[in-house]
Amino acid sequence: MTPITLVTAFFDIGREHFENTDYTRSNDQYFDYFAFWARMRNPLVVYTAPEFADRIRAIRAGFGLEKQTTVIPVEDPFAIEPELYTRMQKIAQDEDFRKFRLYPNAMSNRADYDYIMLLKYWCMSDAASRGITGSQVAWIDFGFNHGGVFFPNPEEFDFEWCFDFSPKVHLFSLQPCNTASSLISLQFFPEIIMGPLIIAPSIACEALWKLTLRAMESLVMLGAIDDDQQLLLMAYRYQPDLFEVHLSDDWFLPLKEYGGSHLTVRERTPAPTENVPPPTIGQKVKGAVKRLLKRSQPVEETSKALFFRRLEQLADKYHQTL
């Protein structure tokens, strides 16, 4: 089995202070997430701000893995591609771009978030170029598994992840990559390629970085930005021979499917439609009456309804200028 060098990163973009509670996470929460899986025995390379370096080393040392850990301090990650980041910031403030998106307040409409997601592939490339990785490199999110949301037992991460991947860049996807075009993906947010785990031969890491960078530059030329899921989809479509895509049913499941078979998956509550008896005639009639009554009520202000309203406003605006 081929050993894998893990690469990850943590940069503080102020998520602790985000107004939308769905996206709010403190630095301490992220470090708790990291500590959950940090007992993996693989060589680990971590990119982070200098002030977090000792904390990361201490967590790994607590598992006896300090000699398997390399911390790369990065004073200013935004100085790696400064001109690109400046352009992304301007786009993030553009009202027309936000209206184009189904969810105008989505996390992936933020320049700082998208830029840091892009740097995943810079980290992989930089680590490989330094000669501090083995022949096989895997990106793993610093917050992988979100502290036990999928794999509940932290002690089960006390293993060395090995797997004989083919010499391709391996992506994991919830749906086939031809499910939606890149343009539809940019506008409607379908979940296709996942970003928590990416595997690549060390010799392919530079090509992956250049492709994802080019994808972001292409979006910027269109007056758009997006996170790494969109960038990977664009990169795959542009150069499919570089990649091998595996379908999976969950964001974290690939670790179990490709080398971590011993990992226990948290038991999940069945969906409401599972193990539910078919409705009775009375229930069907009651449901039909409710639907008829609902038709006479104002349209619910769902995100979809608001999105179509924005499209109508844009159509009116630009139709008048033609």
Side-chain angles (χ1 to χ4, degrees), residues 88-107:
M88 292 172 66
Q89 285 180 301
K90 291 179 180 178
I91 292 168
Q93 302 303 317
D94 182 70
E95 185 179 358
D96 281 347
F97 166 66
R98 294 197 304 275
K99 285 184 176 180
F100 170 79
R101 305 268 273 176
L102 175 59
Y103 304 116
N105 297 318
M107 189 74 170

Side-chain angles (χ1 to χ4, degrees), residues 10 26 59 62 66 77 127-128 143 223 246 262 268 287-288 293 310 316 319:
F10 177 72
S26 68
I59 290 172
E66 62 272 27
H246 309 268
H262 67 286
R268 286 173 284 183
L293 290 172
R310 293 200 306 274
D316 288 341
H319 176 73

Side-chain angles (χ1 to χ4, degrees), residues 262-273:
H262 67 286
L263 293 169
T264 301
V265 174
R266 183 178 295 280
E267 185 176 347
R268 286 173 284 183
T269 304
T273 55

Side-chain angles (χ1 to χ4, degrees), residues 113-291:
Y113 176 78
D114 290 347
Y115 178 87
I116 292 299
M117 292 299 101
L118 168 64
L119 288 193
K120 288 182 179 185
Y121 312 108
W122 175 84
C123 292
M124 292 177 71
S125 179
D126 185 75
S129 70
R130 290 172 182 258
I132 55 176
T133 69
S135 62
Q136 194 163 240
V137 181
W139 171 268
I140 182 169
D141 279 354
F142 196 78
F144 183 80
N145 190 42
H146 294 177
V149 68
F150 191 79
F151 301 117
N153 302 324
E155 65 276 5
E156 292 181 353
F157 281 86
D158 184 11
F159 77 107
E160 183 178 6
W161 180 29
C162 298
F163 194 82
D164 289 330
F165 288 100
S166 67
K168 299 273 189 176
V169 176
H170 291 261
L171 306 178
F172 303 99
S173 184
L174 290 165
Q175 303 180 65
C177 290
N178 61 358
T179 298
S181 70
S182 296
L183 184 61
I184 292 298
S185 176
L186 182 64
Q187 189 167 34
F188 289 99
F189 298 80
E191 293 182 337
I192 303 177
I193 292 179
M194 303 176 280
L197 289 174
I198 308 293
I199 294 91
S202 59
I203 58 174
C205 288
E206 182 180 7
L208 177 62
W209 161 238
K210 288 182 176 178
L211 267 177
T212 50
L213 176 62
R214 184 174 184 179
M216 183 65 87
E217 290 171 340
S218 299
L219 288 179
V220 167
M221 290 175 71
L222 287 170
I225 56 174
D226 208 343
D227 64 18
D228 61 315
Q229 296 169 53
Q230 173 74 7
L231 302 181
L232 290 172
L233 185 63
M234 293 171 66
Y236 166 75
R237 287 192 168 131
Y238 188 79
Q239 195 173 334
D241 291 345
L242 181 66
F243 298 93
E244 187 171 332
V245 180
H246 309 268
L247 294 180
S248 188
D249 292 332
D250 194 276
W251 295 87
F252 306 121
L253 186 58
L255 181 60
K256 180 178 178 67
E257 295 174 323
Y258 298 90
S261 59
H262 67 286
L263 293 169
T264 301
V265 174
R266 183 178 295 280
E267 185 176 347
R268 286 173 284 183
T269 304
T273 55
E274 296 179 11
N275 303 319
V276 176
T280 64
I281 295 298
Q283 289 172 326
K284 289 181 179 179
V285 171
K286 186 176 180 180
V289 171
K290 282 186 175 181
R291 288 192 294 274

